[in-house]
Amino acid sequence: MTNPEWITKVKDVELFDLKVQPARSFIGGKWVVASSGQVFDVEDPGRNRVLASVTDMAVEETREAIEIAHTAFQKYRHSSVRERAAILRRWYELILENADDLATMMTLENGKSLADSRGEVVYAANFLDWFAGEALRINGDSHMASVPNNRILTIKQPVGVVGIITPWNFPAAMITRKVGAALAAGCTMVIRPAAETPFSAIALAKLAERAGVPPGVINMVTSNSPAEHGLELTTNPLIRKVSFTGSTNVGKILTKQSSSTLKKLSLELGGNAPFIVFEDADLEKAADALIACKFRGSGQTCVCANRIFVHSNVYTQFVQLVYDRVSKFQLGYGLDEGVTHGPLVSRKAVHKVQEHVDDALNKGATALTGGSVAYEMGPCYFHPTVLVDAKYNMLIAQEETFGPVCALFKFSTEEEVLKHANSTPVGLAGYLFSKDISRVFRVAEALEVGMVGCNTGAVSDVLSPFGGVKESGYGREGSQHGISEYLDIKSMTISID
Ligand code: NAD
């Protein structure tokens, strides 16, 4: 291919399979293209241009990948846990060694600022380090049985071939959070990364290959027809487990499809996080946390605060603190020096954010700053927005906005705010700020979410179980619970008569 200006920004072109065009998929330890010859283009939302083409695999090729993963499973399931741990650790090191290139490419294909991308690369690598340790801790237990002279022993075994479907908003971490646990457990897998951000996935597969992952254990199939490939991954009987991160709507489709073969499922779905600031909160601390939590990735994270509830006695003061911070943002091209916030991933994403903002303004909210597309920068840039006087009948209260919009609601009592905080069908993350320890425990326990930040806006940590309740899905990733999603428990009853 030609050497466009953007490609000079990465040192190791081979890492992204850019010595060839289109970039390829990784199946059975080989880099391959679709037999149809079809490709799809990957765009740079920050510059509104095509970056490069990627092979667009057919469903039959995903099916072949599943069969290859199934064959590889027969051997990999018996690999020693030390071997798995060594591969994971080597892969972790390689990601850190290539962190600059990985972060640059992530910014190019996703749009997020380079600082956000760097943070994600380290976060993504950390899952591999963590699961390298977890591989060594797979254990079982033993019990006396009800029947005299019988003993019960439990062991844990890998579930089998895993289908992995990931979104564009964390192009690396959503892959390693699943793949790290699956590899440690002894599973093989077929990954279908988001079509918006395949280069991060390609680079991870290249590094996995360099780390010594045996052929067929990790297969990565790029395609631009998610529904068809999703159908294969959820109905093929050789797949025993599906792990999906994405929207609640797609999660429900995958659940229905998986029912025909009763696959084990992990679903990390959408959120609509409440962020509650009580009148006794440290307001400066809460404002700093809100900025990080709300605007990381320009608000395109599943755990980002969506509804900010502020006690009426401190509302004006808190709004000012938020406004002061947002005014200092530097919106711009993610790779440019000093830029704090980049574009959204696509025009479609911008459209949804504008719809939410317009709806809020029509129903009585006021935009203190922002509220519109920054067309002068490009079609995917949205001005960071602060909305005051938000009301519960607004779209912004009912759905996740997934954009750089901070909508502040006023409340008076703990009972009132909890009622509204829990009023959505989803429950992923929630945040509360208060200096009253009893209230912290009380409210944290009462919030209908899987993760609570108490006086902090950061709940994502490889050491903390990640996942939701209600329509935010089920299953937990990371932590000591993450690996169990990829293990079956087998009991053996042994007579010692
Ligand atoms: P999405 O559900 O549209 O897409 C997610 C992935 O699924 C993409 O790769 C997409 O191509 C694929 N997909 C789409 N339709 C499919 C189908 N019918 N069958 C199989 N695959 C299909 O979600 P999105 O808008 O790309 O991502 C943002 C959503 O993901 C938000 O709702 C966000 O909250 C959620 N998310 C959740 C977590 C979490 O851990 N809970 C993390 C990140 C993002």
Side-chain angles (χ1 to χ4, degrees), residues 29 68 81 119 157 174 197 199 245 254 260 274 308 357 422 429 436 464 476-477 483:
I68 286 169
V81 290
Q157 296 183 302
M174 295 306 99
T197 54
F199 287 113
T245 294
L254 298 178
S260 63
I308 296 97
V357 170
N422 289 336
D436 176 344
S464 169
R476 289 294 178 270
E477 296 194 315
I483 194 167

Side-chain angles (χ1 to χ4, degrees), residues 37-209:
Q38 287 201 14
V39 302
F40 64 94
D41 289 338
V42 180
E43 289 185 13
D44 170 358
R47 286 279 192 258
N48 195 23
R49 62 184 170 181
V50 171
L51 288 173
S53 303
V54 174
T55 191
D56 190 1
M57 305 298 273
V59 174
E60 295 67 41
E61 287 155 326
T62 279
R63 197 170 301 139
E64 278 170 35
I66 294 170
E67 282 157 15
I68 286 169
H70 183 251
T71 304
F73 178 64
Q74 309 316 320
K75 186 164 178 213
Y76 186 68
R77 66 184 302 174
H78 300 298
S79 58
S80 89
V81 290
R82 286 217 165 271
E83 196 182 315
R84 296 176 204 166
I87 291 171
L88 280 161
R89 206 153 279 130
R90 181 73 196 120
W91 193 11
Y92 160 77
E93 286 160 2
L94 285 170
I95 291 178
L96 293 186
E97 283 166 26
N98 290 277
D100 284 348
D101 272 359
L102 287 164
T104 301
M105 181 54 90
M106 193 182 288
T107 293
L108 282 164
E109 62 182 357
N110 169 288
K112 62 173 85 176
S113 72
L114 200 51
D116 278 345
S117 293
R118 287 196 178 118
E120 183 184 338
V121 170
V122 174
Y123 178 55
N126 284 345
F127 282 108
L128 304 181
D129 183 45
W130 170 257
F131 284 114
E134 286 298 278
L136 306 180
R137 287 188 280 271
I138 298 170
N139 59 8
D141 47 33
S142 65
H143 298 270
M144 307 295 279
S146 310
V147 175
N149 294 332
N150 274 8
R151 303 290 180 264
I152 298 167
L153 200 73
T154 64
I155 60 166
K156 291 180 187 157
Q157 296 183 302
V159 293
V161 183
V162 184
I164 291 178
I165 304 174
T166 54
W168 47 266
N169 65 340
F170 285 95
M174 295 306 99
I175 293 179
T176 56
R177 195 159 82 175
K178 299 174 190 306
V179 175
L183 271 186
C187 296
T188 59
M189 63 215 77
V190 177
I191 308 165
R192 194 255 158 206
E196 291 85 348
T197 54
F199 287 113
S200 295
I202 288 170
L204 289 176
K206 289 263 173 181
L207 295 176
E209 187 185 19

Side-chain angles (χ1 to χ4, degrees), residues 165-170 174 177-178 192-196 223-231 233-234 244-251 253-254 257 267-272 300-303 345 348 352 400 402 428 451 466-468 472 477:
I165 304 174
T166 54
W168 47 266
N169 65 340
F170 285 95
M174 295 306 99
R177 195 159 82 175
K178 299 174 190 306
R192 194 255 158 206
E196 291 85 348
S223 84
N224 199 22
S225 41
E228 287 87 336
H229 289 260
L231 183 64
L233 289 170
T234 46
F244 170 71
T245 294
S247 61
T248 295
N249 278 347
V250 173
I253 294 171
L254 298 178
Q257 291 172 179
L267 300 171
E268 301 285 344
L269 310 177
N272 184 350
Q300 301 172 108
T301 77
C302 54
V303 291
V345 72
K348 192 173 143 219
K352 182 179 180 192
E400 62 178 344
F402 237 55
L428 191 60
M451 297 168 278
F466 195 103
S472 289
E477 296 194 315

